[in-house]
Amino acid sequence: MNDHRLPYHLDSWIALGMLLAALLIAWGLSQKSSAARSLATATAATLCALTTGWFLLIASTGIFENPRPPLFPTDAIKPTVLFVQAAVTFVAAVFLCWAAVKQRQRLSADQGELRNSQSSYGTISRSLHWTTAVLFLLLIPMGVFTSMIPEDVEWRQGYYVVHKTLGFVVLFLLILRLFWHFASPKPKLDGQLTNWERRSAKSVHFLLYVFMIAFPITGFVMSTFGGKLSHIFIWDLPLFWEMDLEAIKPWGLLHKLVLPYLFYLIIIAHVFGVLKHHFWDGHRESIRRMMS
């Protein structure tokens, strides 16, 4: 039974620390003070640097040369995927350090409003957005590495506690976001967007929600069919049905193979769209609505 923990619940403390860092980033990006924004950006840079450092530390242990036996054929490319993600994270850390130093105060007429307006997102929407985004971006490399950890590594179970805890936190935040969208409708899309850009933006946002909700649900079902407990900080969730090693296969295929690689395409499209509107099309207000 996977109900053991790291000493002093260190795994739960690590998960809590990552959540608090995400909340700090989200809070800072929702403030009108340039000092708060710089602090949030510096915290994001620190998280990126720690993620890169974590990868280098893991690489030095030799796990990449002797990982857990692969479950799917694509598991063989996971070390390469992690190398790419580590390189992207390092570049992001450098860029965010520069951005933290260059951060300037930007004020908005809607700054400080809790609810959304027709032209800008309110503080609650921005905070939920950035907290979810930070945690999910942390979960991506964590998820890639989960199936590579050898069975005999002593911190393997603690790693799963952190991963599963943050997965449930993201699911909870997404549910809050959906309820909040009904209570406070989102601003209308930028009027300068073409019809196909509007349709693309709506489709990508819809798919992002579907994927981010599907990840924790499929992970939970997969773990339960495998007879493994799921965790939320110091609490273990009960097994709601019997172990079934045949039923685990389609859920494992979804969680470990189909969803991750499709999600890479969706998140790349999302980031590309944001950057295109901001730098290529010159629609500066598109990104500022979520930042100010």
Side-chain angles (χ1 to χ4, degrees):
M1 181 65 70
N2 62 327
D3 57 352
H4 57 284
R5 302 299 185 98
L6 295 180
Y8 308 106
H9 285 287
L10 180 61
D11 35 32
S12 295
W13 285 109
I14 292 174
L16 180 61
M18 295 170 75
L19 173 58
L20 292 176
L23 290 171
L24 176 61
I25 293 171
W27 170 84
L29 293 178
S30 299
Q31 304 304 305
K32 61 183 179 181
S33 165
S34 58
R37 288 170 179 263
S38 293
L39 175 62
T41 308
T43 303
T46 301
L47 274 182
C48 288
L50 289 174
T51 302
T52 305
W54 164 79
F55 173 81
L56 294 175
L57 178 63
I58 292 300
S60 69
T61 65
I63 286 181
F64 290 154
E65 287 72 33
N66 188 30
R68 183 184 178 188
L71 299 175
F72 300 102
T74 54
D75 285 352
I77 67 171
K78 284 189 173 181
T80 302
V81 173
L82 280 176
F83 270 106
V84 172
Q85 291 179 353
V88 171
T89 304
F90 175 75
V91 172
V94 174
F95 172 77
L96 289 169
C97 284
W98 173 83
V101 173
K102 297 294 184 179
Q103 188 70 264
R104 292 291 184 267
Q105 183 174 4
R106 290 193 182 118
L107 298 177
S108 169
D110 296 316
Q111 189 74 39
E113 294 293 331
L114 293 178
R115 300 178 66 87
N116 299 331
S117 69
Q118 291 187 351
S119 61
S120 181
Y121 288 92
T123 302
I124 293 178
S125 288
R126 290 197 300 271
S127 297
L128 288 171
H129 172 272
W130 289 114
T131 305
T132 305
V134 171
L135 291 178
F136 208 88
L137 290 175
L138 288 171
L139 282 167
I140 289 176
M142 289 183 68
V144 173
F145 187 60
T146 51
S147 59
M148 297 176 59
I149 308 174
E151 297 282 353
D152 59 348
V153 172
E154 59 182 355
W155 46 263
R156 184 173 184 269
Q157 172 56 21
Y159 186 92
Y160 272 89
V161 170
V162 177
H163 182 67
K164 292 181 178 182
T165 294
L166 294 182
F168 278 113
V169 170
V170 166
L171 179 60
F172 174 73
L173 290 173
L174 287 169
I175 293 172
L176 280 182
R177 287 180 68 176
L178 290 174
F179 276 109
W180 183 245
H181 286 334
F182 285 107
S184 181
K186 296 188 296 184
K188 296 180 180 180
L189 291 174
D190 193 326
Q192 296 176 298
L193 298 180
T194 62
N195 288 333
W196 77 267
E197 287 176 328
R198 289 173 179 274
R199 290 193 294 269
S200 298
K202 290 180 179 180
S203 299
V204 168
H205 279 99
F206 174 77
L207 289 174
L208 280 174
Y209 273 98
V210 170
F211 276 76
M212 288 191 291
I213 291 174
F215 266 110
I217 291 177
T218 55
F220 169 74
V221 175
M222 178 186 67
S223 293
T224 305
F225 274 130
K228 301 293 186 181
L229 296 173
S230 294
H231 320 282
I232 303 177
F233 295 106
I234 64 174
W235 301 282
D236 297 322
L237 297 181
L239 297 175
F240 293 102
W241 52 81
E242 295 294 327
M243 183 171 65
D244 187 337
L245 296 183
E246 285 301 315
I248 195 178
K249 292 179 180 179
W251 295 98
L253 185 67
L254 279 172
H255 187 75
K256 294 179 175 292
L257 182 61
V258 177
L259 290 176
Y261 291 100
L262 287 178
F263 180 78
Y264 292 149
L265 297 177
I266 298 300
I267 195 65
I268 289 172
H270 178 60
V271 173
F272 174 79
V274 171
L275 295 178
K276 175 183 179 295
H277 296 323
H278 188 76
F279 293 106
W280 183 267
D281 300 328
H283 300 168
R284 306 300 185 190
E285 295 304 316
S286 295
I287 193 171
R288 289 177 184 173
R289 294 196 306 172
M290 190 55 76
M291 296 288 294
S292 60

